[in-house]
Amino acid sequence: MPKEHQARWYDKLDNAKAKCQLCPNYCVISPGRSGKCKIRENRDGELVALSYGYPVAMQVDPIEKKPLAKFMPGTRTFSLGTFGCNLNCIFCQNHHLSRGCYDKPHRERYVSPEGIIDLALKHDCKSVAFTYNEPTVFGEYVYDVAVLAKKQGLATVLVTNGYITLDAAKDIYPLIDAANIDMKGFSEDFYRDMTGVRLHPVLEAVKYFYSLGHHLELTNLVIPNKNDFPEMIVNYLDWVGKNLDKQVPLHFSAYHPDYQYHSSPRTPPETLYRIRSVALERGFGNVFLGNIR
């Protein structure tokens, strides 16, 4: 088994504690403990990335599944994810990965960054996608795979919640060709109550990625009676129009009850149709709906 991979974004503190600088949770981690994401662990004062080289999900996907509607359409992407997430969304639609932890069976197959690139090329993929769970928490792996992908002419895709420090984003985001950033809802109250974090850092990350001139799409999981209020949707659209532009593809996806939250029903298709109409009326040129049954 390869040696534990030392984390990149952290500071050493007194009493062998470590302060993670990867995301705005800024976890202060004591020896033998892990951060909120569960996959960055303090080993005798050194922070290690437990997920580095240990993807638990790998698959060839159509690029449209990420979802990316306007980036390299018709191509295949080699998708990978690990355990862990830096949010605590009580409605998580992928909690078996986001809340998963590494134990021995999940650390028996090491896949180096070079191995990921070899698999992508073997399966005739045109890109590598960091997805399924939250890629920010395995940022070191993302960085090293992305560097190699660029050298091999493969595009890089990030499907993320955007909850990242700007220092880490400035290292990782320039290596990413296309991102879909998941906007959970457009209010600080929603983020606090439903995800356990803040909205503001996400907005800063979105603006930073957009400033790079790389391909950006945004997704909003629409939860009835939580983030589907007309005023919230209009505020979100106004923010995108002011800080980004109205040609940024916007995805609005239906929610289904899952994980710890079952108080809202499945999103009615009519709600998504209404939101799309509002967006189109306000001049947005690329609006897509997902998970409609």
Side-chain angles (χ1 to χ4, degrees), residues 6-272:
Q6 185 170 345
R8 176 170 178 168
W9 298 277
Y10 77 100
D11 294 330
K12 293 183 178 181
L13 304 178
D14 293 338
N15 301 316
K17 293 182 178 181
K19 183 176 182 179
C20 186
Q21 300 283 353
L22 178 56
C23 89
N25 287 324
Y26 293 112
C27 294
V28 175
I29 307 170
S30 298
R33 305 296 296 271
S34 61
K36 185 175 181 179
C37 65
K38 298 184 180 181
I39 63 167
R40 302 175 73 77
E41 186 173 298
N42 185 331
R43 298 281 179 84
D44 299 321
E46 301 283 348
L47 199 64
V48 299
L50 297 179
S51 60
Y52 189 100
Y54 294 100
V56 294
M58 293 188 291
Q59 185 170 309
V60 175
D61 289 321
I63 194 72
E64 291 82 3
K65 190 177 178 180
K66 292 305 93 190
L68 287 172
K70 295 291 184 176
F71 182 76
M72 300 177 67
T75 64
R76 302 196 300 175
T77 186
F78 189 81
S79 302
L80 68 140
T82 70
F83 287 133
C85 186
N86 53 359
L87 271 60
N88 188 27
C89 300
I90 61 175
F91 55 87
C92 183
Q93 312 277 284
N94 202 21
H95 55 89
H96 64 289
L97 291 182
S98 66
R99 303 266 64 89
C101 295
Y102 281 95
D103 52 23
K104 187 176 180 180
H106 293 113
R107 290 176 61 76
E108 291 179 347
R109 184 191 176 192
Y110 178 82
V111 186
S112 68
E114 292 83 0
I116 295 296
I117 300 305
D118 289 345
L119 287 168
L121 295 173
K122 175 183 177 181
H123 291 284
D124 194 30
C125 295
K126 302 303 180 184
S127 60
V128 176
F130 309 102
T131 180
Y132 300 140
N133 71 314
E134 175 46 50
T136 295
V137 301
F138 61 98
E140 293 84 2
Y141 199 34
V142 170
Y143 182 93
D144 289 349
V145 172
V147 167
L148 294 178
K150 306 296 278 186
K151 292 179 180 179
Q152 292 294 326
L154 293 170
T156 52
V157 172
L158 191 71
V159 183
T160 177
N161 60 35
Y163 201 64
I164 187 172
T165 64
L166 283 180
D167 284 344
K170 288 176 181 178
D171 289 332
I172 297 171
Y173 283 9
L175 296 169
I176 303 301
D177 294 299
N180 187 304
I181 300 181
D182 189 0
M183 300 289 294
K184 305 295 183 180
F186 203 73
S187 79
E188 288 289 356
D189 287 345
F190 178 89
Y191 263 79
R192 181 191 65 240
D193 297 341
M194 301 292 284
T195 76
V197 301
R198 296 176 294 130
L199 169 62
H200 179 72
V202 178
L203 300 182
E204 293 302 301
V206 171
K207 289 191 293 185
Y208 173 65
F209 189 86
Y210 178 78
S211 76
L212 297 174
H214 300 178
H215 184 82
L216 173 64
E217 303 193 16
L218 300 176
T219 291
N220 182 204
L221 183 71
V222 179
I223 304 176
N225 304 315
K226 283 296 180 179
N227 65 359
D228 64 338
F229 305 114
E231 182 180 3
M232 186 182 291
I233 298 298
V234 168
N235 288 341
Y236 169 52
L237 294 172
D238 286 348
W239 184 89
V240 173
K242 178 181 178 181
N243 292 278
L244 311 178
D245 68 72
K246 292 186 177 182
Q247 295 307 308
V248 170
L250 302 179
H251 300 259
F252 295 95
S253 296
Y255 149 92
H256 65 266
D258 208 340
Y259 193 38
Q260 298 172 335
Y261 183 73
H262 297 268
S263 298
S264 293
R266 184 181 294 272
T267 311
E270 294 75 20
T271 298
L272 298 185

